[in-house]
Amino acid sequence: MSWQSYLVPLVGSAILSTFTFFLGKWDYSFVWVLIIIIASVTKSYLWRKRERRLIALRATALREREVIMAQLQDLPAWVQFPDTERVEWLNKVIHQLWPYVGEYTKTFMNDFIIPQVKAQMPGMFKNFKFTKMDMGDIPCRVGGIKVYTTNVGRDRIIVDMDVAYAGDADFTVSCCGFTGGMNNIQFSGKLRAILKPLLPYPPMVGGVSGTFLEMPKMDFNLTGMGEMVELPGLIDAIRSVINSQIAALCVLPNEIVVPLAPDVDVTQLYFPEPDGVVRLKIIEAKNLENRDISFIKKGKSDPYAEIQVGSQFFKTRTIDDDLNPIWNEYFEAVVDQADGQKLRIELFDEDQGKDEELGRLSVDLKLVQAKGTIDKWYPLEGCKHGDLHIKATWMNLSTELRHLEKQEWEAEWGQADKPIHSALLMVYIDSVADLPYPKSKLEPSPFVEVSLGKETQRTPVKVKTVNPLFQSKFLFFVRHLEGQELKFEAVDDGTRRSLGSLNIPLTTLLKEPNLEQNQQMHMLTLGVHQSPIVITTRIRVLQKTEGDAIKMQELRQEKEEEKLRNNALIQGKPKKGNNSELGHDVLGEYGNAFHIERANGKVNGDVVAVEPAKTVNQDAADDEVEIKLNVDNYQMLRSDSQGSLNSHGRSNSRLGRLFRSKHEMKKRETRADENRGEIEIQIDFDDLVNQLKIALIRCRDLMTFDKKDQCNPYVSVKLVALDGNKEVFKKKTPTAKNTRHPHFDNHVEIDINPSDLLNHKVVINVKDDTNYGTFVAKPVLGCLEIRLDSLMNRQLSQRWIPLSVERK
């Protein structure tokens, strides 16, 4: 390293030492001296660590062979990497091209980076500019290259490269009269280059797109005024901003595209279709490390999880003081290229300072795509102990409308804490022509805002042009296509005036072949002025992959076998035990009955009349086996189960518990994967009377808290607003005595306006009315939450749904 590299740290240390001396001389608290010393030592340690890493990387870049041979003296000749090849010739080519790469970098920074930075800064920082851009003399290197030859389309070539840079680039910026900069830049990552489409004429390749499969690792030094903020907390914030800009530029699904041939369909280059969507459920963790132990206090970690798929980031809520947290949170992420992308999950302990890592997990998305659904415990890496329970389901993208019309409502995803979507909307804006001037003789700097519902995205700003070429793509998750409009508005960045707008109803796409409009010209309208805009829009329906279809086929076979067994029971096959008590197998058939009686009990032959609130699932999924019950058997089931129901009375109050026998409660640990039983329900909305109707039919296999393995269950139904979790409606069913398989046959009707329906969720709690003590709360046997905006056609056909642990 040169003497300049040591000058700044020495001068900084001298200033801090002088400042510390005067603090002591002026009788300030000794705590201030300690704080300054700790900050100085930390900063010096991080600086030395970066310099050592930079020296090692530069040595590897300049003398790769010597470094490898020094570490592996007896390297045998047959040692090689079967998948990755060394391409030293490519590094020599890059070395020759590096001065020209530096010249292009200046153009790229001025045309692309500076407008993006200015767009995200307050008005007082609009004079931001680069005063020096030097890419240095040390080029980046390609450590290895892999060309895919299997499972690749015939119209493309896919190449993965391990790219690393530890050069002597130097950038200086000026803003608000201050000057700062960045040097000693280091980064490494896996770059995927796709050559497509392949052509039968020169240059044989239509274009090249480059993107990082995951966030590249990056480090740097700040110079000038940047030295003032090079402390652990502030430098991490700066790195976060830079990483977000890199992700928006060249991390999947974002990519840099270079066309090579004329007259090539631009949508093939700039608008490739993703491989699919992964639905993820972060269920729970167990046996996490405790990072909150200190001399002052002893607590427990406050864990939360961060999820990353390409440039998409998600975060769970924080569970305070819990080493076995239960989240039960749901996420959806678009997967552009399953082969190469990974699902990364990191667990952290939330603290007032820097959050500490509790472990991490990496799952290959190609494995999720192949299996269809993964539901298992994974041991965490990077920690002493800890496990994480997740469920991931792969969703293919379909162009068939019938998959949207017949999309099956899956019980577990319907309980999600946030909306789960049925389709993916993809939008590509190619170009706009003949935009109006916002003011007389003032050329606009336009960008386009794309809105769907409450979500808005925007293109980059194109400086001073009335014919901008954007070539930008956008992705939106969609729950309900009916009544939704896709809105476009061109805006001048300088004056913030509208340059034209356009609305496209999503229902128009449903009438198009393959649910898409390719390079369609529309008109942005501003008064009488119209500007042509070229747009490509696609709707893709989320469909379960074949991995789930195989499992569904196995489930159908099991159901068919169970149907044969239950038919034998219903047709009078003798049973052991007390004939006055019905077995659980017989009760199981009642929940799947194809015909349910009316409240007055009128029947007609072998078929009983159907009540609207108990309409049986006419559109049942293939894995649901529904049979008809004989009327006599049905009446017997009804009378037996009703006999076990007691209405709520004074005995349920705290005062009434004083006169009831007290039961002893088990000691058990709450786990999210514990079997809590199932509940059979049906939900429907009656448009004629504006009523939400919920049918609570029965439960089975409920868990127990009583040491005698008994429970007295009842169901509590609440309608809760999504905004603020305010209870709008609450009702309880009668209590069933001493049974884990209660039959309620209870119906709840809630008056609600259709426009407010999607802003609420239904919370169903199955509770135990057993007396465990006057001041002991009634335990929750199981919980079910259903967001009403996740239901197709505002209804849920009759089905069994598993109960889960109550959400805190």
Side-chain angles (χ1 to χ4, degrees), residues 11 80 149 169 173 183 215 220 295 301 319 321 336 386 403 423 442 456 472 571 600 607 646 651 713 728:
V11 173
Q80 59 178 336
T149 57
V173 298
N183 61 13
M215 278 294 302
F220 51 85
F295 294 103
S301 297
I319 307 295
D321 296 324
D336 286 80
H403 290 144
L442 177 62
T456 300
S472 301
Q571 291 170 4
N600 57 17
V607 180
N646 285 342
S651 62
V728 179

Side-chain angles (χ1 to χ4, degrees), residues 402-423:
R402 61 185 180 88
H403 290 144
L404 179 66
E405 295 171 345
K406 298 182 179 180
Q407 191 173 57
E408 179 184 348
W409 186 90
E410 189 176 356
E412 181 174 4
W413 299 115
Q415 303 177 48
D417 58 321
K418 53 182 68 68
I420 297 298
H421 305 88
S422 59

Side-chain angles (χ1 to χ4, degrees), residues 58-75:
R58 284 184 177 176
T60 303
L62 298 176
R63 298 185 302 277
E64 183 180 34
R65 180 179 179 84
E66 290 80 0
V67 171
I68 294 177
M69 294 303 297
Q71 295 179 358
L72 301 172
Q73 295 290 340
D74 301 321
L75 187 67

Side-chain angles (χ1 to χ4, degrees), residues 315-595:
K315 182 180 176 181
T316 67
R317 69 185 188 279
T318 301
I319 307 295
D320 295 330
D321 296 324
D322 198 341
L323 300 180
N324 301 288
I326 299 175
W327 287 288
N328 280 333
E329 293 195 42
Y330 299 76
F331 304 93
E332 288 178 306
V334 177
V335 181
D336 286 80
Q337 299 177 30
D339 191 0
Q341 279 193 276
K342 294 183 181 294
L343 167 66
R344 299 193 180 274
I345 304 173
E346 289 186 275
L347 268 59
F348 291 94
D349 172 26
E350 188 176 76
D351 291 320
Q352 292 183 352
K354 184 177 180 180
D355 297 345
E356 297 180 90
E357 185 178 1
L358 298 176
R360 57 185 178 271
L361 170 65
S362 177
V363 180
D364 194 341
L365 288 171
K366 188 70 175 178
L367 178 64
V368 181
Q369 184 186 34
K371 289 191 173 183
T373 297
I374 293 178
D375 185 357
K376 61 183 294 187
W377 284 92
Y378 287 93
L380 294 172
E381 301 174 355
C383 60
K384 295 180 180 179
H385 49 77
D387 300 276
L388 180 64
H389 185 192
I390 66 170
K391 179 177 181 180
T393 299
W394 183 266
M395 308 296 293
N396 284 330
L397 304 181
S398 171
T399 59
E400 298 185 29
L401 189 59
R402 61 185 180 88
H403 290 144
L404 179 66
E405 295 171 345
K406 298 182 179 180
Q407 191 173 57
E408 179 184 348
W409 186 90
E410 189 176 356
E412 181 174 4
W413 299 115
Q415 303 177 48
D417 58 321
K418 53 182 68 68
I420 297 298
H421 305 88
S422 59
L424 180 69
L425 174 65
M426 298 179 282
V427 181
Y428 171 72
I429 300 179
D430 183 57
S431 60
V432 184
D434 192 25
L435 285 172
Y437 282 63
K439 292 182 179 180
S440 178
K441 299 181 181 180
L442 177 62
E443 199 169 17
S445 296
F447 63 89
V448 176
E449 287 187 344
V450 187
S451 302
L452 182 68
K454 297 180 180 179
E455 186 176 355
T456 300
Q457 302 181 45
R458 56 180 289 183
T459 67
V461 177
K462 299 300 179 180
V463 181
K464 293 184 178 180
T465 177
V466 294
N467 301 299
L469 180 65
F470 291 110
Q471 296 177 330
S472 301
K473 63 179 180 180
F474 308 94
L475 301 175
F476 297 89
F477 280 112
V478 185
R479 293 198 304 274
H480 308 291
L481 297 174
E482 296 78 8
Q484 296 254 40
E485 281 191 334
L486 185 62
K487 300 178 180 179
F488 299 85
E489 184 177 15
V491 181
D492 175 41
D493 185 52
T495 61
R496 295 290 170 174
R497 292 187 177 182
S498 176
L499 303 177
S501 61
L502 166 69
N503 293 349
I504 301 178
L506 295 188
T507 52
T508 60
L509 294 177
L510 302 180
K511 304 174 184 177
E512 298 289 338
N514 295 327
L515 306 181
E516 67 179 61
Q517 289 182 346
N518 189 47
Q519 291 297 91
Q520 188 78 27
M521 181 180 292
H522 299 269
M523 292 295 175
L524 293 173
T525 303
L526 180 66
V528 296
H529 187 90
Q530 290 187 329
S531 304
I533 179 172
V534 180
I535 304 171
T536 298
T537 50
R538 299 172 184 163
I539 289 179
R540 294 294 180 260
V541 181
L542 304 187
Q543 179 195 15
K544 287 183 183 178
T545 187
E546 291 300 320
D548 276 344
I550 297 174
K551 292 181 66 177
M552 295 291 287
Q553 182 64 29
E554 296 174 354
L555 185 60
R556 291 191 195 104
Q557 295 177 358
E558 294 177 3
K559 290 287 186 180
E560 290 293 340
E561 294 174 0
E562 184 181 357
K563 173 183 176 180
L564 295 175
R565 291 195 301 268
N566 291 333
N567 277 338
L569 290 173
I570 292 176
Q571 291 170 4
K573 188 174 181 178
K575 295 176 62 70
K576 296 181 180 180
N578 189 350
N579 292 332
S580 64
E581 295 181 359
L582 290 175
H584 179 52
D585 291 332
V586 179
L587 285 175
E589 282 307 316
Y590 172 68
N592 286 331
F594 190 82
H595 296 283

Side-chain angles (χ1 to χ4, degrees), residues 695-720:
L696 306 170
I697 301 172
R698 67 182 187 122
C699 300
R700 66 184 178 191
D701 298 328
L702 294 177
M703 68 180 299
T704 60
F705 285 83
D706 194 348
K707 282 194 171 182
K708 297 180 180 180
D709 281 332
Q710 296 180 351
C711 62
N712 300 304
Y714 70 93
V715 180
S716 170
V717 181
K718 294 185 289 186
L719 186 68
V720 180

Side-chain angles (χ1 to χ4, degrees), residues 661-665 706 708 710 712 738 770-773:
S661 59
K662 181 180 177 181
H663 292 244
E664 191 173 357
M665 185 181 292
D706 194 348
K708 297 180 180 180
Q710 296 180 351
N712 300 304
N738 299 328
T770 304
N771 179 25
Y772 296 107

